[in-house]
């Protein structure tokens, strides 16, 4: 049985890789997999996949993104121009929004 990871990172967020082979790479989150504790980031952690030829598609070597651990990425704050931790605040109207822990910028509208 695998544990589900609770994360504040969502699809289409701009993140920066903070550890591993692609440290410093920035990209958009394609997919979040909380059950695995990982994310897919566009143009980061690229691998080569050897595929067999079928009737429908040609074989060859395909480059695609491999999952990264959620702990190895941070949200990229456009105002701070760096990777930041995220917090949650409750607005006056009762909505919960994600905020930058460095500058306090509200990220969700």
């Amino acid at each position: 049985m695998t544990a589900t990871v609770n994360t504040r990172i969502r699809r289409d967020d701009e993140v920066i890789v903070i550890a591993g082979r692609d440290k410093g790479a920035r990209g958009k989150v394609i997919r979040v997999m909380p059950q695995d504790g990982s994310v897919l980031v566009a143009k980061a952690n690229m691998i080569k996949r050897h595929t067999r030829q079928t009737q429908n598609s040609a074989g060859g070597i395909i480059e695609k993104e491999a999952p990264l651990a959620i702990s190895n990425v941070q949200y990229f704050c456009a105002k701070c121009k760096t990777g930041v931790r995220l917090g949650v605040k409750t607005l006056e109207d009762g909505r919960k929004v994600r905020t930058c822990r460095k500058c306090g910028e509200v990220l969700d509208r």
Side-chain angles (χ1 to χ4, degrees), residues 31-53:
R31 185 172 167 207
V32 178
M33 297 171 276
Q35 67 279 3
D36 300 334
S38 57
V39 291
L40 279 180
V41 180
K43 305 295 180 202
N45 201 24
M46 298 297 287
I47 59 167
K48 288 181 173 14
R49 173 88 174 125
H50 298 263
T51 57
R52 185 174 290 160
Q53 181 176 349

mmCIF file with all atom_site columns, all heavy atoms in Angstrom, residues 31-53:
data_model
loop_
_atom_site.group_PDB
_atom_site.id
_atom_site.type_symbol
_atom_site.label_atom_id
_atom_site.label_alt_id
_atom_site.label_comp_id
_atom_site.label_asym_id
_atom_site.label_entity_id
_atom_site.label_seq_id
_atom_site.pdbx_PDB_ins_code
_atom_site.Cartn_x
_atom_site.Cartn_y
_atom_site.Cartn_z
_atom_site.occupancy
_atom_site.B_iso_or_equiv
_atom_site.pdbx_formal_charge
_atom_site.auth_seq_id
_atom_site.auth_comp_id
_atom_site.auth_asym_id
_atom_site.auth_atom_id
_atom_site.pdbx_PDB_model_num
ATOM 1   N N   . ARG A 1 31 ? 1.493  16.964 -15.143 1.00 0.00 ? 31 ARG A N   1
ATOM 2   C CA  . ARG A 1 31 ? 0.645  16.032 -14.413 1.00 0.00 ? 31 ARG A CA  1
ATOM 3   C C   . ARG A 1 31 ? 1.164  15.886 -12.982 1.00 0.00 ? 31 ARG A C   1
ATOM 4   O O   . ARG A 1 31 ? 2.375  15.851 -12.767 1.00 0.00 ? 31 ARG A O   1
ATOM 5   C CB  . ARG A 1 31 ? 0.676  14.677 -15.122 1.00 0.00 ? 31 ARG A CB  1
ATOM 6   C CG  . ARG A 1 31 ? -0.233 13.645 -14.568 1.00 0.00 ? 31 ARG A CG  1
ATOM 7   C CD  . ARG A 1 31 ? -0.239 12.426 -15.477 1.00 0.00 ? 31 ARG A CD  1
ATOM 8   N NE  . ARG A 1 31 ? -0.869 11.331 -14.759 1.00 0.00 ? 31 ARG A NE  1
ATOM 9   C CZ  . ARG A 1 31 ? -0.627 10.057 -14.978 1.00 0.00 ? 31 ARG A CZ  1
ATOM 10  N NH1 . ARG A 1 31 ? 0.224  9.711  -15.911 1.00 0.00 ? 31 ARG A NH1 1
ATOM 11  N NH2 . ARG A 1 31 ? -1.235 9.131  -14.294 1.00 0.00 ? 31 ARG A NH2 1
ATOM 12  N N   . VAL A 1 32 ? 0.247  15.806 -12.014 1.00 0.00 ? 32 VAL A N   1
ATOM 13  C CA  . VAL A 1 32 ? 0.595  15.575 -10.618 1.00 0.00 ? 32 VAL A CA  1
ATOM 14  C C   . VAL A 1 32 ? 0.086  14.187 -10.244 1.00 0.00 ? 32 VAL A C   1
ATOM 15  O O   . VAL A 1 32 ? -1.069 13.856 -10.517 1.00 0.00 ? 32 VAL A O   1
ATOM 16  C CB  . VAL A 1 32 ? -0.037 16.632 -9.686  1.00 0.00 ? 32 VAL A CB  1
ATOM 17  C CG1 . VAL A 1 32 ? 0.309  16.349 -8.234  1.00 0.00 ? 32 VAL A CG1 1
ATOM 18  C CG2 . VAL A 1 32 ? 0.417  18.021 -10.072 1.00 0.00 ? 32 VAL A CG2 1
ATOM 19  N N   . MET A 1 33 ? 0.960  13.380 -9.661  1.00 0.00 ? 33 MET A N   1
ATOM 20  C CA  . MET A 1 33 ? 0.591  12.019 -9.250  1.00 0.00 ? 33 MET A CA  1
ATOM 21  C C   . MET A 1 33 ? 0.785  11.884 -7.744  1.00 0.00 ? 33 MET A C   1
ATOM 22  O O   . MET A 1 33 ? 1.838  11.428 -7.290  1.00 0.00 ? 33 MET A O   1
ATOM 23  C CB  . MET A 1 33 ? 1.436  11.002 -10.012 1.00 0.00 ? 33 MET A CB  1
ATOM 24  C CG  . MET A 1 33 ? 1.191  11.036 -11.507 1.00 0.00 ? 33 MET A CG  1
ATOM 25  S SD  . MET A 1 33 ? 2.344  10.054 -12.442 1.00 0.00 ? 33 MET A SD  1
ATOM 26  C CE  . MET A 1 33 ? 3.703  11.187 -12.591 1.00 0.00 ? 33 MET A CE  1
ATOM 27  N N   . PRO A 1 34 ? -0.214 12.302 -6.929  1.00 0.00 ? 34 PRO A N   1
ATOM 28  C CA  . PRO A 1 34 ? -0.050 12.275 -5.474  1.00 0.00 ? 34 PRO A CA  1
ATOM 29  C C   . PRO A 1 34 ? 0.099  10.866 -4.911  1.00 0.00 ? 34 PRO A C   1
ATOM 30  O O   . PRO A 1 34 ? 0.733  10.672 -3.881  1.00 0.00 ? 34 PRO A O   1
ATOM 31  C CB  . PRO A 1 34 ? -1.304 12.964 -4.951  1.00 0.00 ? 34 PRO A CB  1
ATOM 32  C CG  . PRO A 1 34 ? -2.277 12.926 -6.057  1.00 0.00 ? 34 PRO A CG  1
ATOM 33  C CD  . PRO A 1 34 ? -1.494 12.852 -7.330  1.00 0.00 ? 34 PRO A CD  1
ATOM 34  N N   . GLN A 1 35 ? -0.470 9.870  -5.590  1.00 0.00 ? 35 GLN A N   1
ATOM 35  C CA  . GLN A 1 35 ? -0.350 8.495  -5.098  1.00 0.00 ? 35 GLN A CA  1
ATOM 36  C C   . GLN A 1 35 ? 1.087  7.991  -5.186  1.00 0.00 ? 35 GLN A C   1
ATOM 37  O O   . GLN A 1 35 ? 1.499  7.155  -4.389  1.00 0.00 ? 35 GLN A O   1
ATOM 38  C CB  . GLN A 1 35 ? -1.306 7.551  -5.851  1.00 0.00 ? 35 GLN A CB  1
ATOM 39  C CG  . GLN A 1 35 ? -1.006 7.339  -7.313  1.00 0.00 ? 35 GLN A CG  1
ATOM 40  C CD  . GLN A 1 35 ? -1.505 8.425  -8.251  1.00 0.00 ? 35 GLN A CD  1
ATOM 41  O OE1 . GLN A 1 35 ? -2.069 9.426  -7.814  1.00 0.00 ? 35 GLN A OE1 1
ATOM 42  N NE2 . GLN A 1 35 ? -1.269 8.256  -9.537  1.00 0.00 ? 35 GLN A NE2 1
ATOM 43  N N   . ASP A 1 36 ? 1.870  8.525  -6.118  1.00 0.00 ? 36 ASP A N   1
ATOM 44  C CA  . ASP A 1 36 ? 3.284  8.158  -6.261  1.00 0.00 ? 36 ASP A CA  1
ATOM 45  C C   . ASP A 1 36 ? 4.207  9.187  -5.616  1.00 0.00 ? 36 ASP A C   1
ATOM 46  O O   . ASP A 1 36 ? 5.408  8.955  -5.496  1.00 0.00 ? 36 ASP A O   1
ATOM 47  C CB  . ASP A 1 36 ? 3.671  8.047  -7.735  1.00 0.00 ? 36 ASP A CB  1
ATOM 48  C CG  . ASP A 1 36 ? 2.855  7.005  -8.480  1.00 0.00 ? 36 ASP A CG  1
ATOM 49  O OD1 . ASP A 1 36 ? 2.371  6.065  -7.821  1.00 0.00 ? 36 ASP A OD1 1
ATOM 50  O OD2 . ASP A 1 36 ? 2.702  7.138  -9.706  1.00 0.00 ? 36 ASP A OD2 1
ATOM 51  N N   . GLY A 1 37 ? 3.671  10.357 -5.281  1.00 0.00 ? 37 GLY A N   1
ATOM 52  C CA  . GLY A 1 37 ? 4.500  11.434 -4.744  1.00 0.00 ? 37 GLY A CA  1
ATOM 53  C C   . GLY A 1 37 ? 5.387  12.039 -5.806  1.00 0.00 ? 37 GLY A C   1
ATOM 54  O O   . GLY A 1 37 ? 6.522  12.422 -5.531  1.00 0.00 ? 37 GLY A O   1
ATOM 55  N N   . SER A 1 38 ? 4.870  12.125 -7.044  1.00 0.00 ? 38 SER A N   1
ATOM 56  C CA  . SER A 1 38 ? 5.701  12.630 -8.131  1.00 0.00 ? 38 SER A CA  1
ATOM 57  C C   . SER A 1 38 ? 4.918  13.559 -9.059  1.00 0.00 ? 38 SER A C   1
ATOM 58  O O   . SER A 1 38 ? 3.692  13.612 -9.023  1.00 0.00 ? 38 SER A O   1
ATOM 59  C CB  . SER A 1 38 ? 6.298  11.464 -8.925  1.00 0.00 ? 38 SER A CB  1
ATOM 60  O OG  . SER A 1 38 ? 5.270  10.643 -9.421  1.00 0.00 ? 38 SER A OG  1
ATOM 61  N N   . VAL A 1 39 ? 5.668  14.289 -9.891  1.00 0.00 ? 39 VAL A N   1
ATOM 62  C CA  . VAL A 1 39 ? 5.091  15.205 -10.875 1.00 0.00 ? 39 VAL A CA  1
ATOM 63  C C   . VAL A 1 39 ? 5.831  15.037 -12.203 1.00 0.00 ? 39 VAL A C   1
ATOM 64  O O   . VAL A 1 39 ? 6.989  14.634 -12.235 1.00 0.00 ? 39 VAL A O   1
ATOM 65  C CB  . VAL A 1 39 ? 5.193  16.686 -10.427 1.00 0.00 ? 39 VAL A CB  1
ATOM 66  C CG1 . VAL A 1 39 ? 4.306  16.976 -9.258  1.00 0.00 ? 39 VAL A CG1 1
ATOM 67  C CG2 . VAL A 1 39 ? 6.615  17.087 -10.134 1.00 0.00 ? 39 VAL A CG2 1
ATOM 68  N N   . LEU A 1 40 ? 5.136  15.378 -13.297 1.00 0.00 ? 40 LEU A N   1
ATOM 69  C CA  . LEU A 1 40 ? 5.763  15.439 -14.612 1.00 0.00 ? 40 LEU A CA  1
ATOM 70  C C   . LEU A 1 40 ? 5.944  16.912 -14.949 1.00 0.00 ? 40 LEU A C   1
ATOM 71  O O   . LEU A 1 40 ? 4.976  17.676 -14.905 1.00 0.00 ? 40 LEU A O   1
ATOM 72  C CB  . LEU A 1 40 ? 4.884  14.795 -15.678 1.00 0.00 ? 40 LEU A CB  1
ATOM 73  C CG  . LEU A 1 40 ? 4.913  13.285 -15.809 1.00 0.00 ? 40 LEU A CG  1
ATOM 74  C CD1 . LEU A 1 40 ? 3.965  12.841 -16.913 1.00 0.00 ? 40 LEU A CD1 1
ATOM 75  C CD2 . LEU A 1 40 ? 6.298  12.781 -16.099 1.00 0.00 ? 40 LEU A CD2 1
ATOM 76  N N   . VAL A 1 41 ? 7.166  17.314 -15.266 1.00 0.00 ? 41 VAL A N   1
ATOM 77  C CA  . VAL A 1 41 ? 7.472  18.702 -15.595 1.00 0.00 ? 41 VAL A CA  1
ATOM 78  C C   . VAL A 1 41 ? 7.928  18.757 -17.050 1.00 0.00 ? 41 VAL A C   1
ATOM 79  O O   . VAL A 1 41 ? 8.779  17.952 -17.466 1.00 0.00 ? 41 VAL A O   1
ATOM 80  C CB  . VAL A 1 41 ? 8.576  19.270 -14.668 1.00 0.00 ? 41 VAL A CB  1
ATOM 81  C CG1 . VAL A 1 41 ? 8.885  20.709 -15.025 1.00 0.00 ? 41 VAL A CG1 1
ATOM 82  C CG2 . VAL A 1 41 ? 8.161  19.158 -13.217 1.00 0.00 ? 41 VAL A CG2 1
ATOM 83  N N   . ALA A 1 42 ? 7.369  19.676 -17.821 1.00 0.00 ? 42 ALA A N   1
ATOM 84  C CA  . ALA A 1 42 ? 7.700  19.805 -19.241 1.00 0.00 ? 42 ALA A CA  1
ATOM 85  C C   . ALA A 1 42 ? 9.187  20.099 -19.424 1.00 0.00 ? 42 ALA A C   1
ATOM 86  O O   . ALA A 1 42 ? 9.740  20.959 -18.748 1.00 0.00 ? 42 ALA A O   1
ATOM 87  C CB  . ALA A 1 42 ? 6.872  20.909 -19.876 1.00 0.00 ? 42 ALA A CB  1
ATOM 88  N N   . LYS A 1 43 ? 9.816  19.358 -20.302 1.00 0.00 ? 43 LYS A N   1
ATOM 89  C CA  . LYS A 1 43 ? 11.231 19.527 -20.684 1.00 0.00 ? 43 LYS A CA  1
ATOM 90  C C   . LYS A 1 43 ? 12.212 19.342 -19.531 1.00 0.00 ? 43 LYS A C   1
ATOM 91  O O   . LYS A 1 43 ? 13.322 19.856 -19.580 1.00 0.00 ? 43 LYS A O   1
ATOM 92  C CB  . LYS A 1 43 ? 11.467 20.896 -21.338 1.00 0.00 ? 43 LYS A CB  1
ATOM 93  C CG  . LYS A 1 43 ? 10.587 21.182 -22.519 1.00 0.00 ? 43 LYS A CG  1
ATOM 94  C CD  . LYS A 1 43 ? 10.859 20.244 -23.668 1.00 0.00 ? 43 LYS A CD  1
ATOM 95  C CE  . LYS A 1 43 ? 9.956  20.565 -24.841 1.00 0.00 ? 43 LYS A CE  1
ATOM 96  N NZ  . LYS A 1 43 ? 9.802  19.456 -25.748 1.00 0.00 ? 43 LYS A NZ  1
ATOM 97  N N   . ALA A 1 44 ? 11.816 18.608 -18.491 1.00 0.00 ? 44 ALA A N   1
ATOM 98  C CA  . ALA A 1 44 ? 12.719 18.318 -17.377 1.00 0.00 ? 44 ALA A CA  1
ATOM 99  C C   . ALA A 1 44 ? 12.733 16.814 -17.142 1.00 0.00 ? 44 ALA A C   1
ATOM 100 O O   . ALA A 1 44 ? 11.724 16.146 -17.321 1.00 0.00 ? 44 ALA A O   1
ATOM 101 C CB  . ALA A 1 44 ? 12.276 19.032 -16.109 1.00 0.00 ? 44 ALA A CB  1
ATOM 102 N N   . ASN A 1 45 ? 13.888 16.270 -16.760 1.00 0.00 ? 45 ASN A N   1
ATOM 103 C CA  . ASN A 1 45 ? 14.065 14.847 -16.508 1.00 0.00 ? 45 ASN A CA  1
ATOM 104 C C   . ASN A 1 45 ? 13.709 14.014 -17.741 1.00 0.00 ? 45 ASN A C   1
ATOM 105 O O   . ASN A 1 45 ? 12.980 13.038 -17.663 1.00 0.00 ? 45 ASN A O   1
ATOM 106 C CB  . ASN A 1 45 ? 13.232 14.402 -15.291 1.00 0.00 ? 45 ASN A CB  1
ATOM 107 C CG  . ASN A 1 45 ? 13.748 13.119 -14.689 1.00 0.00 ? 45 ASN A CG  1
ATOM 108 O OD1 . ASN A 1 45 ? 14.918 12.768 -14.838 1.00 0.00 ? 45 ASN A OD1 1
ATOM 109 N ND2 . ASN A 1 45 ? 12.875 12.399 -14.019 1.00 0.00 ? 45 ASN A ND2 1
ATOM 110 N N   . MET A 1 46 ? 14.250 14.425 -18.884 1.00 0.00 ? 46 MET A N   1
ATOM 111 C CA  . MET A 1 46 ? 13.968 13.742 -20.152 1.00 0.00 ? 46 MET A CA  1
ATOM 112 C C   . MET A 1 46 ? 14.682 12.387 -20.199 1.00 0.00 ? 46 MET A C   1
ATOM 113 O O   . MET A 1 46 ? 15.831 12.272 -19.801 1.00 0.00 ? 46 MET A O   1
ATOM 114 C CB  . MET A 1 46 ? 14.425 14.599 -21.336 1.00 0.00 ? 46 MET A CB  1
ATOM 115 C CG  . MET A 1 46 ? 13.725 15.938 -21.437 1.00 0.00 ? 46 MET A CG  1
ATOM 116 S SD  . MET A 1 46 ? 11.961 15.818 -21.712 1.00 0.00 ? 46 MET A SD  1
ATOM 117 C CE  . MET A 1 46 ? 11.920 15.292 -23.404 1.00 0.00 ? 46 MET A CE  1
ATOM 118 N N   . ILE A 1 47 ? 13.955 11.374 -20.696 1.00 0.00 ? 47 ILE A N   1
ATOM 119 C CA  . ILE A 1 47 ? 14.521 10.045 -20.880 1.00 0.00 ? 47 ILE A CA  1
ATOM 120 C C   . ILE A 1 47 ? 14.295 9.601  -22.315 1.00 0.00 ? 47 ILE A C   1
ATOM 121 O O   . ILE A 1 47 ? 13.438 10.151 -23.008 1.00 0.00 ? 47 ILE A O   1
ATOM 122 C CB  . ILE A 1 47 ? 13.895 9.004  -19.912 1.00 0.00 ? 47 ILE A CB  1
ATOM 123 C CG1 . ILE A 1 47 ? 12.393 8.903  -20.123 1.00 0.00 ? 47 ILE A CG1 1
ATOM 124 C CG2 . ILE A 1 47 ? 14.239 9.326  -18.481 1.00 0.00 ? 47 ILE A CG2 1
ATOM 125 C CD1 . ILE A 1 47 ? 11.754 7.704  -19.457 1.00 0.00 ? 47 ILE A CD1 1
ATOM 126 N N   . LYS A 1 48 ? 15.064 8.621  -22.744 1.00 0.00 ? 48 LYS A N   1
ATOM 127 C CA  . LYS A 1 48 ? 14.886 8.053  -24.079 1.00 0.00 ? 48 LYS A CA  1
ATOM 128 C C   . LYS A 1 48 ? 14.169 6.722  -23.934 1.00 0.00 ? 48 LYS A C   1
ATOM 129 O O   . LYS A 1 48 ? 14.597 5.861  -23.175 1.00 0.00 ? 48 LYS A O   1
ATOM 130 C CB  . LYS A 1 48 ? 16.235 7.852  -24.762 1.00 0.00 ? 48 LYS A CB  1
ATOM 131 C CG  . LYS A 1 48 ? 16.883 9.142  -25.189 1.00 0.00 ? 48 LYS A CG  1
ATOM 132 C CD  . LYS A 1 48 ? 18.188 8.856  -25.880 1.00 0.00 ? 48 LYS A CD  1
ATOM 133 C CE  . LYS A 1 48 ? 18.889 10.018 -26.503 1.00 0.00 ? 48 LYS A CE  1
ATOM 134 N NZ  . LYS A 1 48 ? 18.509 11.331 -26.209 1.00 0.00 ? 48 LYS A NZ  1
ATOM 135 N N   . ARG A 1 49 ? 13.066 6.561  -24.655 1.00 0.00 ? 49 ARG A N   1
ATOM 136 C CA  . ARG A 1 49 ? 12.259 5.346  -24.597 1.00 0.00 ? 49 ARG A CA  1
ATOM 137 C C   . ARG A 1 49 ? 12.351 4.655  -25.951 1.00 0.00 ? 49 ARG A C   1
ATOM 138 O O   . ARG A 1 49 ? 12.009 5.249  -26.978 1.00 0.00 ? 49 ARG A O   1
ATOM 139 C CB  . ARG A 1 49 ? 10.813 5.718  -24.279 1.00 0.00 ? 49 ARG A CB  1
ATOM 140 C CG  . ARG A 1 49 ? 9.836  4.599  -24.336 1.00 0.00 ? 49 ARG A CG  1
ATOM 141 C CD  . ARG A 1 49 ? 9.751  3.881  -23.017 1.00 0.00 ? 49 ARG A CD  1
ATOM 142 N NE  . ARG A 1 49 ? 8.693  2.886  -23.088 1.00 0.00 ? 49 ARG A NE  1
ATOM 143 C CZ  . ARG A 1 49 ? 8.863  1.622  -22.820 1.00 0.00 ? 49 ARG A CZ  1
ATOM 144 N NH1 . ARG A 1 49 ? 10.039 1.178  -22.442 1.00 0.00 ? 49 ARG A NH1 1
ATOM 145 N NH2 . ARG A 1 49 ? 7.874  0.774  -22.902 1.00 0.00 ? 49 ARG A NH2 1
ATOM 146 N N   . HIS A 1 50 ? 12.835 3.419  -25.966 1.00 0.00 ? 50 HIS A N   1
ATOM 147 C CA  . HIS A 1 50 ? 12.935 2.639  -27.202 1.00 0.00 ? 50 HIS A CA  1
ATOM 148 C C   . HIS A 1 50 ? 11.600 1.949  -27.434 1.00 0.00 ? 50 HIS A C   1
ATOM 149 O O   . HIS A 1 50 ? 11.153 1.171  -26.595 1.00 0.00 ? 50 HIS A O   1
ATOM 150 C CB  . HIS A 1 50 ? 14.059 1.608  -27.095 1.00 0.00 ? 50 HIS A CB  1
ATOM 151 C CG  . HIS A 1 50 ? 15.408 2.226  -26.914 1.00 0.00 ? 50 HIS A CG  1
ATOM 152 N ND1 . HIS A 1 50 ? 16.268 2.443  -27.948 1.00 0.00 ? 50 HIS A ND1 1
ATOM 153 C CD2 . HIS A 1 50 ? 16.030 2.717  -25.819 1.00 0.00 ? 50 HIS A CD2 1
ATOM 154 C CE1 . HIS A 1 50 ? 17.369 3.019  -27.499 1.00 0.00 ? 50 HIS A CE1 1
ATOM 155 N NE2 . HIS A 1 50 ? 17.243 3.198  -26.203 1.00 0.00 ? 50 HIS A NE2 1
ATOM 156 N N   . THR A 1 51 ? 10.961 2.263  -28.562 1.00 0.00 ? 51 THR A N   1
ATOM 157 C CA  . THR A 1 51 ? 9.644  1.686  -28.845 1.00 0.00 ? 51 THR A CA  1
ATOM 158 C C   . THR A 1 51 ? 9.707  0.769  -30.052 1.00 0.00 ? 51 THR A C   1
ATOM 159 O O   . THR A 1 51 ? 10.461 1.002  -30.999 1.00 0.00 ? 51 THR A O   1
ATOM 160 C CB  . THR A 1 51 ? 8.586  2.776  -29.090 1.00 0.00 ? 51 THR A CB  1
ATOM 161 O OG1 . THR A 1 51 ? 9.022  3.598  -30.164 1.00 0.00 ? 51 THR A OG1 1
ATOM 162 C CG2 . THR A 1 51 ? 8.369  3.620  -27.859 1.00 0.00 ? 51 THR A CG2 1
ATOM 163 N N   . ARG A 1 52 ? 8.892  -0.257 -29.985 1.00 0.00 ? 52 ARG A N   1
ATOM 164 C CA  . ARG A 1 52 ? 8.818  -1.248 -31.051 1.00 0.00 ? 52 ARG A CA  1
ATOM 165 C C   . ARG A 1 52 ? 7.871  -0.756 -32.139 1.00 0.00 ? 52 ARG A C   1
ATOM 166 O O   . ARG A 1 52 ? 6.881  -0.091 -31.862 1.00 0.00 ? 52 ARG A O   1
ATOM 167 C CB  . ARG A 1 52 ? 8.295  -2.560 -30.455 1.00 0.00 ? 52 ARG A CB  1
ATOM 168 C CG  . ARG A 1 52 ? 8.277  -3.711 -31.425 1.00 0.00 ? 52 ARG A CG  1
ATOM 169 C CD  . ARG A 1 52 ? 7.898  -4.981 -30.710 1.00 0.00 ? 52 ARG A CD  1
ATOM 170 N NE  . ARG A 1 52 ? 8.985  -5.386 -29.824 1.00 0.00 ? 52 ARG A NE  1
ATOM 171 C CZ  . ARG A 1 52 ? 8.844  -6.206 -28.794 1.00 0.00 ? 52 ARG A CZ  1
ATOM 172 N NH1 . ARG A 1 52 ? 7.666  -6.675 -28.473 1.00 0.00 ? 52 ARG A NH1 1
ATOM 173 N NH2 . ARG A 1 52 ? 9.878  -6.551 -28.056 1.00 0.00 ? 52 ARG A NH2 1
ATOM 174 N N   . GLN A 1 53 ? 8.179  -1.132 -33.376 1.00 0.00 ? 53 GLN A N   1
ATOM 175 C CA  . GLN A 1 53 ? 7.328  -0.765 -34.495 1.00 0.00 ? 53 GLN A CA  1
ATOM 176 C C   . GLN A 1 53 ? 6.045  -1.590 -34.463 1.00 0.00 ? 53 GLN A C   1
ATOM 177 O O   . GLN A 1 53 ? 6.076  -2.787 -34.205 1.00 0.00 ? 53 GLN A O   1
ATOM 178 C CB  . GLN A 1 53 ? 8.068  -1.018 -35.801 1.00 0.00 ? 53 GLN A CB  1
ATOM 179 C CG  . GLN A 1 53 ? 7.297  -0.643 -37.045 1.00 0.00 ? 53 GLN A CG  1
ATOM 180 C CD  . GLN A 1 53 ? 8.134  -0.842 -38.298 1.00 0.00 ? 53 GLN A CD  1
ATOM 181 O OE1 . GLN A 1 53 ? 9.330  -1.066 -38.219 1.00 0.00 ? 53 GLN A OE1 1
ATOM 182 N NE2 . GLN A 1 53 ? 7.489  -0.780 -39.436 1.00 0.00 ? 53 GLN A NE2 1
#
